[in-house]
């Protein structure tokens, strides 16, 4: 049984090694919302809310998530007894629309608490089967096709099993073509973050000649129907990211033929239970899935790694090692990748598998709140 008696929120600032540019915005320093959850029996676990600085990926931001956790999520879990962590998703979904990232941060932390209580690694508690997971890299929009080709080649040289190329109108076909010319055999894909409309079908169809694994979220962030139309004109599989916010949206994608692959981000779908439901459904429907990323610190990464150890996560995730993002992560051990492009799933200890560097986190903290049951 789980019954939380305290959730501490804090915001830390962590500078990315280099700015990360996507079609809808650029970020140089992450504002990261960390949660420290306390169970009444003494178990403690940390989690991370993946909401960004601006509402350019989804409508949520770190500021809306902070407010939503304080005002709506925490009151639904503090002091409430849950038999199992799998019960939390429904309790947060009922008569409570949206705010998936805010909900997910708490829901995932409760899974972390449950793993700690059970004495199991989180990956095992959720049914993970892999000891190592395949790692890809997501490259932000670069200044020129040549700069992109150089970055992509360096990444393949380091062992990454997949290179994802961010594109936007005017920085698409020529960029991807340059990467393909440099890397004839590499697993390449593109991610448009909603930058196109059906009027761009001809441009997107040119990518068909470049042998991409998939094109991620070319059309609007909440669209399914137009993606189905676009998929009819493309040989390359469409992968949906932003549009898949729940199991029902995954079912819509499959029913309408709006895509053939799903990028699962637990923050986007309301947590691990929802992620597992989407994973299981896709496995039944023969839809491969992979774990997306939101430039997480080592805390959020722990949950992604556990999730990616499930059987149908058959494609490399956006799950790069700590050093790809940060001069120094906030966890130990840091997340590392071996030269075969894999990352180990921590299986040697209960819980999320990493320790937090509290001194460092305190030094990086710019805002705190402690939420308790008001008695
Ligand atoms: O669309 O997958 C995306 C980062 C922020 C917002 C959206 C996306 C991304 C990434 C980063 O691609 C992947 C990573 O964490 O390495
Ligand atoms: Mg994406």
């Amino acid at each position: 049984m789980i019954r939380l008696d305290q959730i501490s929120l804090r915001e830390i600032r962590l500078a990315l090694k280099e700015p990360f540019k996507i079609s809808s915005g650029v970020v140089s320093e992450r504002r990261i919302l960390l949660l420290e959850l306390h169970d009444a029996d003494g178990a403690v676990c940390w989690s991370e809310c993946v909401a960004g600085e601006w509402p350019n990926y989804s409508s949520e931001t770190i500021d809306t998530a902070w407010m939503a956790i304080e005002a709506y999520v925490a009151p639904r879990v503090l002091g409430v007894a849950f038999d199992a962590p799998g019960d939390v998703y429904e309790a947060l979904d009922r008569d409570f629309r949206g705010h998936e990232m805010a909900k997910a941060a708490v829901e995932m932390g409760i899974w972390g608490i449950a793993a700690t209580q059970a004495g199991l690694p989180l990956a095992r508690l959720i049914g993970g089967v892999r000891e190592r997971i395949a790692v890809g890299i997501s490259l932000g929009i670069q200044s020129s096709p040549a700069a992109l080709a150089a970055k992509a080649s360096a990444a393949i040289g380091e062992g990454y099993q997949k290179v994802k190329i961010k594109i936007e109108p005017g920085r698409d076909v020529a960029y991807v073509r340059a990467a393909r010319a440099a890397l004839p055999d590499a697993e390449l894909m593109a991610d448009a973050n909603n930058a196109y409309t059906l009027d761009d079908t001809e441009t997107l169809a040119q990518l068909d000649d470049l042998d991409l694994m998939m094109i991620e979220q070319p059309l609007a962030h909440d669209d399914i129907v137009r993606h189905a139309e676009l998929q009819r004109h493309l040989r390359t599989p469409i992968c949906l990211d932003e549009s898949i916010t729940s199991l029902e949206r995954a079912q819509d994608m499959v029913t309408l033929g709006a895509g053939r692959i799903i990028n699962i981000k637990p923050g986007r779908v309301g947590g691990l239970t929802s992620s597992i439901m989407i994973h299981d459904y896709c496995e039944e429907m023969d839809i491969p899935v992979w774990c997306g990323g939101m430039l997480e610190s080592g805390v959020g990464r722990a949950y992604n790694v556990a999730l990616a150890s499930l059987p149908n996560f058959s494609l490399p995730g956006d799950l790069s090692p700590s050093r790809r993002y940060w001069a120094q992560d906030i966890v130990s051990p840091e997340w590392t990748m071996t030269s075969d492009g894999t990352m180990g799933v921590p299986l040697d200890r209960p819980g999320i598998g990493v320790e937090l560097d509290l001194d460092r986190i305190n030094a990086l903290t710019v805002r705190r709140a402690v939420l308790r049951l008001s008695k």
Side-chain angles (χ1 to χ4, degrees):
M1 192 195 73
I2 298 135
R3 188 159 54 85
L4 298 188
D5 60 9
Q6 183 180 309
I7 302 174
S8 306
L9 306 181
R10 55 168 97 208
E11 175 183 345
I12 64 165
R13 303 276 168 97
L14 206 55
L16 286 162
K17 272 187 174 172
E18 50 187 54
F20 188 75
K21 181 171 157 52
I22 68 178
S23 63
S24 55
V26 60
V27 55
S28 318
E29 185 187 55
R30 291 280 288 113
R31 294 176 57 199
I32 298 174
L33 171 49
L34 294 176
L35 283 69
E36 187 186 353
L37 297 88
H38 292 252
D39 190 86
D41 77 357
V44 176
C45 190
W46 289 69
S47 67
E48 174 170 347
C49 178
V50 300
E53 293 72 21
W54 295 98
N56 62 318
Y57 172 80
S58 76
S59 61
E60 291 186 87
T61 69
I62 173 171
D63 298 300
T64 70
W66 186 291
M67 183 267 174
I69 292 170
E70 238 175 350
Y72 314 131
V73 183
R76 286 191 178 220
V77 298
L78 284 173
V80 177
F82 292 98
D83 287 336
D87 298 341
V88 177
Y89 175 67
E90 203 193 302
L92 292 177
D93 198 44
R94 205 182 311 128
D95 306 328
F96 179 178
R97 314 284 175 246
H99 300 281
E100 306 306 337
M101 293 175 179
K103 292 170 176 172
V106 171
E107 197 259 5
M108 290 197 277
I110 291 176
W111 273 102
I113 293 259
T116 311
Q117 286 177 337
L120 284 175
L122 177 63
R124 286 295 180 253
L125 182 68
I126 65 174
V129 295
R130 296 172 204 279
E131 287 179 16
R132 305 195 65 78
I133 55 171
V135 176
I137 189 169
S138 172
L139 294 178
I141 294 171
Q142 303 294 314
S143 55
S144 68
L148 171 67
K151 280 252 176 200
S153 301
I156 292 295
E158 283 178 65
Y160 285 103
Q161 296 191 31
K162 178 186 87 178
V163 174
K164 170 164 129 179
I165 298 166
K166 292 289 187 178
I167 58 170
E168 65 182 358
R171 288 176 167 152
D172 41 38
V173 180
Y175 280 67
V176 178
R177 192 178 283 133
R180 175 53 80 209
L183 297 161
D185 302 320
E187 299 280 30
L188 301 180
M189 61 169 289
D191 184 1
N193 291 107
N194 341 306
Y196 298 87
T197 70
L198 283 176
D199 293 343
D200 301 305
T201 300
E202 264 178 53
T203 304
L204 293 168
Q206 289 179 48
L207 295 172
D208 269 345
D209 298 332
L210 299 173
D211 194 23
L212 301 181
M213 298 170 87
M214 66 195 101
I215 301 172
E216 186 176 336
Q217 197 72 36
L219 309 179
H221 70 97
D222 55 355
D223 174 79
I224 305 265
V225 171
R226 291 164 188 78
H227 279 100
E229 173 67 19
L230 179 63
Q231 182 69 86
R232 285 193 273 278
H233 296 279
L234 298 182
R235 277 196 313 278
T236 310
I238 290 176
C239 167
L240 293 184
D241 172 355
E242 284 88 332
S243 293
I244 306 298
T245 52
S246 65
L247 172 64
E248 288 74 17
R249 295 294 84 74
Q251 293 167 336
D252 293 347
M253 181 197 92
V254 174
T255 304
L256 297 178
R260 300 182 191 143
I261 299 174
I262 292 179
N263 160 344
I264 299 182
K265 296 178 180 173
R268 193 192 64 225
V269 302
L272 285 176
T273 301
S274 172
S275 299
I276 295 165
M277 288 177 350
I278 295 170
H279 163 274
D280 292 353
Y281 168 73
C282 287
E283 188 167 40
E284 249 170 64
M285 302 308 286
D286 247 331
I287 299 284
V289 303
W290 53 280
C291 185
M294 291 293 288
L295 310 173
E296 287 90 348
S297 81
V299 176
R301 200 160 303 280
Y303 292 88
N304 289 347
V305 169
L307 182 63
S309 75
L310 266 61
N312 191 38
F313 280 82
S314 53
L315 300 171
D318 284 349
L319 274 165
S320 305
S322 300
R323 65 174 160 71
R324 178 261 185 282
Y325 307 94
W326 324 109
Q328 192 190 339
D329 207 333
I330 56 170
V331 298
S332 74
E334 293 207 342
W335 295 98
T336 57
M337 176 180 82
T338 42
S339 56
D340 62 349
T342 64
M343 191 178 277
V345 179
L347 294 171
D348 56 342
R349 73 192 92 169
I352 64 171
V354 286
E355 299 289 329
L356 281 98
D357 183 345
L358 266 183
D359 287 341
R360 182 119 191 292
I361 290 172
N362 283 330
L364 296 168
T365 297
V366 296
R367 170 160 70 137
R368 286 196 66 168
V370 179
L371 313 177
R372 284 196 199 91
L373 258 191
S374 44
K375 289 192 189 101

